[in-house]
């Protein structure tokens, strides 16, 4: 029986607090200390040591690992400080606001032999997990096209929020789109990039509130990411589409909760698809197989249907966080373990987002 990992949280705002709640009752982690420069001290749970300056965090208490959940521009300085002191790190996305800073974290993780994971918790969403697993068994042919259209609310993002300051957040693509860029890389095994193009629209001189990017990969996959933080909560919607040679999946929710599909299928594939939560076939028809883009596939019917997770959005979110922390824990106690999210995944996502942001900004008047 291993001892619990003693975890310090740096940045106890909206998300640091949510992770703390998600880890409450964990048999793997014990939060022993929190550092936050501005937070109202009344929100800090009583039994936990609290400091304002994160440089004092592990002087106050013994720590094995830290979670960095401060705004993005501070991630690299904090990460380097704690890596030098031999602490393992879970860092909120983005790992840093530039590829150079991210590389410095990677180098320090190697030098000081510490585990670093970035919180790409989408890789632990049960719908995405199942789809990725089915695709990795090569059940749908090639992954040809991905798009995400993500309308997020701006009601909790007043003009003075750090989110709008590109020198702090890195901009929407670096701060937010990295989650979705990483989903594509996870599904497609990080293919080589052929071309990246970014676009932006600003509501005023300092709020770049709509951004998009296209990424074309060498294996033929074309990904389009559209992110908009520009309207009230009532309009919040996210749709993702995964197009494979023989199947298409449309997912709803930025934390995917449900969706529908159409697939060229056979009994074996139907059995595999039934691993999707709440899987239901609503239509099916026998068909003669035809070649698709010059390839033969083994199918005899076309099916349509839907799937839906049993859990609510916040339960799915918490569960994904618990699972990514479990993966982090496993690597800390067993260095032979391969994490589902590696530091190279974190670097790759930032690299694409950073390039796209530069090309987007280049088109600004
Ligand atoms: N993985 C996800 O799904 C997800 C979701 C939301 C936010 N995030 C990420 O989490 C991080 C924090 O976001 P948030 O929404 O919680 O922001 P927030 O503004 O609510 O919280 C940030 C906290 O950090 C504190 N802080 C700022 N600078 C600090 C410093 N130098 N030292 C100590 N404390 C400092 C602030 O006082 C604040 O309490 C960001 O990187 C964000 O991208 C990730």
């Amino acid at each position: 029986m291993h001892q619990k990992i003693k975890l310090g949280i740096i940045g106890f705002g909206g998300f640091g607090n949510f992770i703390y709640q998600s880890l409450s009752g964990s048999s793997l982690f014990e939060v022993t200390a929190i550092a936050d420069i501005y937070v109202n001290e009344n929100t800090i749970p009583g039994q936990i040591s609290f400091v304002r300056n994160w440089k004092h965090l592990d002087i106050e208490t013994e720590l094995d690992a830290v979670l960095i959940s401060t705004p993005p521009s501070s991630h690299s300085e904090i990460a380097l400080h704690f890596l030098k002191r031999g602490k393992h790190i879970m860092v909120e996305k983005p790992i840093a606001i530039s590829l150079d800073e991210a590389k410095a974290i990677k180098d320090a993780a190697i030098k000081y032999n510490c585990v670093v994971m970035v919180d790409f918790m989408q890789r632990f969403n049960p719908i995405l997990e199942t789809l990725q697993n089915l695709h990795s068994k090569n059940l749908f042919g090639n992954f040809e096209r991905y798009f995400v259209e993500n309308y997020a609310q701006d009601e909790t993002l007043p003009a003075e929020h750090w989110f709008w300051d590109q020198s702090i957040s890195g901009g929407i693509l670096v701060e937010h789109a990295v989650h979705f860029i990483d989903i594509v890389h996870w599904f497609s095994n990080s293919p080589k990039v052929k071309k990246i193009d970014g676009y932006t629209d600003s509501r005023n001189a300092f709020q770049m509130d709509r951004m998009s990017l296209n990424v074309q990969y060498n294996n033929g996959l074309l990904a389009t990411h559209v992110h908009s933080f520009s309207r009230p909560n009532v309009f919040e919607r996210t749709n993702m589409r995964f197009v494979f040679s023989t199947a298409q999946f449309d997912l709803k929710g930025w934390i995917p909760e449900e969706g529908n599909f159409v697939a060229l299928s056979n009994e074996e594939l139907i059995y595999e698809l039934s691993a999707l939560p709440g899987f239901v076939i609503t239509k099916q028809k026998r068909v003669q197989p035809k070649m698709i883009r010059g390839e033969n596939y083994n199918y005899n019917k076309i099916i349509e249907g839907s799937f839906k997770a049993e859990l609510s959005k916040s339960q799915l979110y918490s569960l994904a966080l618990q699972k990514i922390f479990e993966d982090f824990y496993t690597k800390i106690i067993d260095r032979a373990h391969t994490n589902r999210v590696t530091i190279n995944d974190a670097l790759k996502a930032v690299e694409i987002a950073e390039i796209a942001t530069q090309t987007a900004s280049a088109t600004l008047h």
Side-chain angles (χ1 to χ4, degrees), residues 171-173 199-200 208-213 225-227 357 360:
I172 287 178
L173 300 181
Y199 306 85
T200 186
M208 212 188 256
D209 58 359
R210 299 197 302 151
M211 294 194 80
S212 69
L213 79 137
H225 304 253
V226 179
H227 296 280
T357 304

Side-chain angles (χ1 to χ4, degrees), residues 66-68 83 88-93 95 105 109 114-120 123-124 323-332 337-343 345-346:
V66 292
L67 161 67
I68 303 174
L83 287 171
H88 307 296
I89 292 182
M90 174 69 84
V91 57
E92 258 318 317
K93 58 80 203 167
I95 186 168
I105 297 175
C114 293
V115 178
V116 174
M117 260 187 109
V118 70
D119 187 11
F120 282 150
R123 290 196 185 211
F124 296 83
K323 284 162 93 180
I324 197 167
F325 269 88
E326 205 177 301
D327 198 30
F328 179 49
Y329 177 89
T330 307
K331 181 78 176 176
I332 293 171
H337 174 72
T338 304
N339 286 127
R340 192 177 295 181
V341 181
T342 68
I343 196 159
D345 298 323

Side-chain angles (χ1 to χ4, degrees), residues 13-15 36-37 54 69 75 92-93 121 162 175 179 317:
F15 209 62
D36 193 299
I37 193 165
W54 52 264
S69 44
H75 292 179
E92 258 318 317
K93 58 80 203 167
M121 51 73 208
W162 59 259
E175 203 279 337
H179 266 312
Y317 212 159

